[in-house]
Amino acid sequence: MLDPAIWWYVTRASAIIAWALMVISVTWGILLATRVMKPKDNPGWLLDLHRWLAGLAVVFTGIHMASLYIDEYAAFTFQDLFIPFHSQYQKIAWLGGWPIALGVICTYILIAVQATSLMMKKLPRKYWKAIHYSSYALVLLVSFHAGWSGTDVRAWAYRITALTLITLTTVALIVRILFPKSAKTLSATVEGRRPNQKAENLHKVLVDRVTPLADGILGFDFVLPDRSNLDPWVPGAHVTLHLPGDMKRQYSLCGDPADRSQYSIAVLESPQSRGGSRYVHNNLKSGMSIEVSGPHNHFELEASSEYLFIAGGIGITPIKAMIESLPSRRQWRLLYAGRSRTSMAYTNELEDMFGDRVIVHADDEQGGRPDLDALLAGFNGHVYVCGPEPLLDALISKVPVDRLHYERFSAVDRTDDAVIEAFEVVLSRSNKTISVGKDESLLDALNENGGALISSCGEGVCGTCEVRVLKGQPVHLDSVMSDEDKDAIGVMYPCVSRGTGSTLVLDI
Ligand code: FES
C-alpha cells in the first residue's frame, strides 16, 4: 500500500533539488560568462554541464508541480499551478498570495530561459541574452518562494541547504557584477595589472624538430632546454619569435594545449616576406636556440553550441588548435580553402580525424573559390576565420559582427577613412597629460613619457601593445579584432590607433 503522504514527500524533495540545480546552473553559467577559472577551464564541458543542470532543473520543477497536483493534501488545481495568485495555499497575512505566485512566475521564467536556450541558434543574440539574464532574477525569486512557502523551514537540514544555496547565489551574482567583461579583460583584471604590464615573457627555447608540412610550409616544435613545462596557452594563442636584426614575428600555436612540453608552429615562406619567414625557413634547424615570447591571445574561442571554422591557407594553424580542443559532441564544421592540396598543411590529418566535418576546398580541384553563401545559409552559430584579406572581407560583409571572430595575417591600412589629428591622453596612474602630435604614434608618445610599453609588430596586428581605455573613444586603426570587441572590453592598440579631439584616459 502506497504511503498516502508519498506525493507530499516528492513535492518537497523535488522542490529542493530543482532549487539547487537552478542555483548551480546559474553559478556555472556565470563561471562560463566571466571565465574566472581561466585558463584552467574548458568552455566545451562547462557549457554542456550548464545546459544539463538547467535541463534537470526543468525536469525536477515538472515533478514538483505534478506531485503538487496529485497530492490530495495540498490539493492544487491546474489553475493554481499556472495562474499567479490563484492558489489559496500558504497565504501569509502581510504577503497575500505572493509565496505561491512567485513559484508560478519562476516556472515561466525557467521555461522562457530554457526554451530560448534551445532556440538560441534561431534567435537574434540580443534577445536570447536579455531573456537569459532573467535567470539571475529567477534564482533570487526562487529563494523567496522557498523561504515563504516551504513547509520544512524549521528543519535544520533544510535551513543549512537553504543558507548554502542563498550564499552561492549571492556570491555568483557578486562575481557577475564585479567581472562583467569577457576573458580578455579578466585576464588582466584578475592578475591585477594592466594589459601592457604583462612581462614580455621571453624564453630561450630549442628547436626540437623541423617537419615539412606542405609546399613552402615547415612545422617547428620548440622545447625548453631542460624540457620542463612551457607556459600554458589556449587555442587562438600565438608566440613571437625574436629573430636577428630585431625582427619579431608572430605565429599561431597549432599543437595540443594540453602538451606543455612543446610549442608547435607552422610557417609559410611567404613570397611577400619582409625577411621573417625566409629567415625561419632558411636558418632554423633542429637543436638551434632561439628566443620566443608569449603566448598571447587575441583570438580566443568563445563558448558556443555550434561553430563554423573557415581557414584560408596557413590560416589553418589557430583553427586546427581550436577544433582539436572541442569536445567530440560539439557541433562544428571546417571549410579549409587553399590553392591546391599540396600547398595546404594538415589536410590528411584533419580529414582522417574528423571525416566529413572537414570540407577541403582546393581551388585547382574545384575550379574557383568556395561558395560562402551556401556554407553560411541557415547557420546562426559563431564563425571563426583566419585567412587572407579577400576571405575576411567577404565574411565581414556576410556575418553579423557579434558572431564573427577573425584573425588577420597582415595589417590593413585604415588611415584613409580616419581623421588623423593631434590629441591628448591622460595617464591615470600618474595623472600626467601628454600631447600626441599629428605625425607621432601614440605608442612612441607614451614610451617617451615613461610608459615603457612592450610592443612587437608595430603595425596593429599582433596585439602586444594593448592598453586599457578608461575614458574616451579611441580611433581604432589596428587589425587585431573587431572594433566592437575592443570597445566592449575597453582596450586599444597604440602602435597605430589614436585618439580624437576629446581626451583619452588610459590605464597607465
Ligand atoms: S605592437 Fe603589434 S599591435 Fe601594437
Side-chain angles (χ1 to χ4, degrees):
M1 178 72 184
L2 203 62
D3 182 342
I6 184 72
W7 293 113
W8 187 231
Y9 298 143
V10 172
T11 298
R12 289 150 65 198
S14 56
I16 295 171
I17 295 170
W19 181 17
L21 287 166
M22 281 177 220
V23 171
I24 298 168
S25 173
V26 169
T27 307
W28 220 240
I30 287 171
L31 292 179
L32 187 69
T34 57
R35 305 279 307 278
V36 292
M37 297 197 300
K38 181 180 176 283
K40 295 185 179 62
D41 64 343
N42 173 339
W45 68 260
L46 210 57
L47 186 64
D48 283 344
L49 193 55
H50 175 58
R51 290 206 176 115
W52 275 100
L53 289 166
L56 275 177
V58 174
V59 170
F60 276 91
T61 302
I63 295 172
H64 175 60
M65 294 172 73
S67 54
L68 271 173
Y69 184 73
I70 297 168
D71 181 52
E72 289 173 1
Y73 168 71
F76 268 66
T77 64
F78 199 71
Q79 289 93 325
D80 290 341
L81 292 172
F82 289 101
I83 303 173
F85 302 103
H86 191 276
S87 170
Q88 298 303 308
Y89 180 81
Q90 205 81 337
K91 278 199 168 178
I92 298 176
W94 61 282
L95 279 173
W98 273 103
I100 302 300
L102 280 179
V104 179
I105 293 166
C106 288
T107 303
Y108 286 121
I109 298 176
L110 181 64
I111 291 170
V113 170
Q114 193 63 6
T116 49
S117 291
L118 293 174
M119 295 189 301
M120 185 179 164
K121 286 184 267 171
K122 297 189 171 58
L123 285 175
R125 194 168 164 76
K126 63 180 178 188
Y127 297 134
W128 167 81
K129 224 173 179 176
I131 294 171
H132 215 72
Y133 281 160
S134 66
S135 52
Y136 302 142
L138 172 68
V139 286
L140 280 178
L141 296 179
V142 162
S143 305
F144 288 114
H145 168 64
W148 286 332
S149 60
T151 53
D152 295 303
V153 284
R154 285 187 187 80
W156 276 107
Y158 183 89
R159 286 183 180 182
I160 291 169
T161 307
L163 198 64
T164 307
L165 293 175
I166 290 168
T167 307
L168 196 55
T169 304
T170 310
V171 171
L173 293 178
I174 289 172
V175 167
R176 191 67 180 101
I177 291 163
L178 289 182
F179 302 121
K181 299 280 178 73
S182 72
K184 290 178 186 115
T185 307
L186 274 169
S187 61
T189 311
V190 169
E191 289 162 15
R193 57 196 182 201
R194 66 178 193 257
N196 205 291
Q197 277 185 324
K198 285 178 283 202
E200 198 167 11
N201 214 5
L202 208 58
H203 306 288
K204 254 203 187 338
V205 294
L206 297 178
V207 180
D208 189 43
R209 198 161 43 150
V210 182
T211 317
L213 296 174
D215 291 350
I217 301 177
L218 292 177
F220 296 87
D221 296 335
F222 302 111
V223 295
L224 286 171
D226 62 359
R227 301 210 167 240
S228 57
N229 280 347
L230 287 151
D231 285 346
W233 59 281
V234 291
H238 65 263
V239 289
T240 300
L241 302 193
H242 294 248
L243 305 173
D246 209 22
M247 279 192 292
K248 295 177 185 176
R249 294 292 182 268
Q250 289 72 38
Y251 296 102
S252 295
L253 292 170
C254 57
D256 176 2
D259 180 2
R260 301 266 310 273
S261 68
Q262 64 178 24
Y263 288 151
S264 299
I265 61 170
V267 181
L268 167 71
E269 184 175 8
S270 162
Q272 292 87 36
S273 173
R274 291 170 294 139
S277 65
R278 192 172 310 126
Y279 176 88
V280 169
H281 266 247
N282 294 339
N283 296 282
L284 282 196
K285 307 285 181 226
S286 182
M288 273 181 68
S289 171
I290 182 173
E291 283 189 325
V292 169
S293 62
H296 295 132
N297 200 338
H298 305 280
F299 189 42
E300 281 186 39
L301 198 56
E302 286 182 18
S304 174
S305 57
E306 195 174 2
Y307 299 97
L308 175 60
F309 297 103
I310 301 178
I314 195 64
I316 191 63
T317 48
I319 302 287
K320 173 178 176 286
M322 288 178 176
I323 60 179
E324 288 177 354
S325 75
L326 290 172
S328 58
R329 285 180 23 255
R330 181 73 68 247
Q331 287 186 356
W332 60 265
R333 280 181 303 156
L334 163 67
L335 168 69
Y336 180 15
R339 289 191 316 280
S340 64
R341 278 180 181 264
T342 56
S343 67
M344 297 162 72
Y346 306 118
T347 44
N348 293 342
E349 183 182 331
L350 292 170
E351 284 180 319
D352 288 350
M353 275 172 77
F354 301 114
D356 57 10
R357 288 179 171 200
V358 176
I359 306 161
V360 173
H361 181 103
D363 292 349
D364 65 347
E365 288 173 7
Q366 272 94 347
R369 297 288 155 86
D371 184 350
L372 295 178
D373 290 323
L375 190 72
L376 292 166
F379 180 77
N380 289 305
H382 284 249
V383 181
Y384 281 77
V385 195
C386 186
E389 283 309 308
L391 178 67
L392 290 182
D393 289 343
L395 287 159
I396 287 169
S397 67
K398 293 174 193 296
V399 181
V401 69
D402 61 337
R403 294 196 289 111
L404 181 66
H405 312 265
Y406 54 83
E407 186 166 68
R408 294 182 188 276
F409 289 162
S410 54
V412 175
D413 183 359
R414 302 177 63 187
T415 51
D416 278 357
D417 301 328
V419 178
I420 307 293
E421 56 188 354
F423 60 97
E424 287 192 336
V425 286
V426 175
L427 313 188
S428 69
R429 298 187 183 211
S430 57
N431 210 16
K432 190 172 173 183
T433 301
I434 60 174
S435 302
V436 184
K438 188 168 180 260
D439 300 319
E440 188 181 17
S441 84
L442 173 56
L443 182 67
D444 288 345
L446 291 171
N447 282 339
E448 276 162 22
N449 285 276
L453 302 184
I454 57 167
S455 61
S456 180
C457 68
E459 53 184 22
V461 177
C462 70
T464 309
C465 63
E466 181 178 288
V467 292
R468 189 186 307 282
V469 180
L470 299 178
K471 204 170 154 202
Q473 177 58 53
V475 179
H476 296 297
L477 299 174
D478 60 87
S479 312
V480 178
M481 55 178 123
S482 75
D483 293 351
E484 288 78 5
D485 280 353
K486 280 176 287 220
D487 288 338
I489 63 175
V491 296
M492 70 180 294
Y493 299 93
C495 61
V496 292
S497 295
R498 311 176 56 80
T500 53
S502 63
T503 301
L504 271 182
V505 182
L506 302 179
D507 185 16
I508 295 175

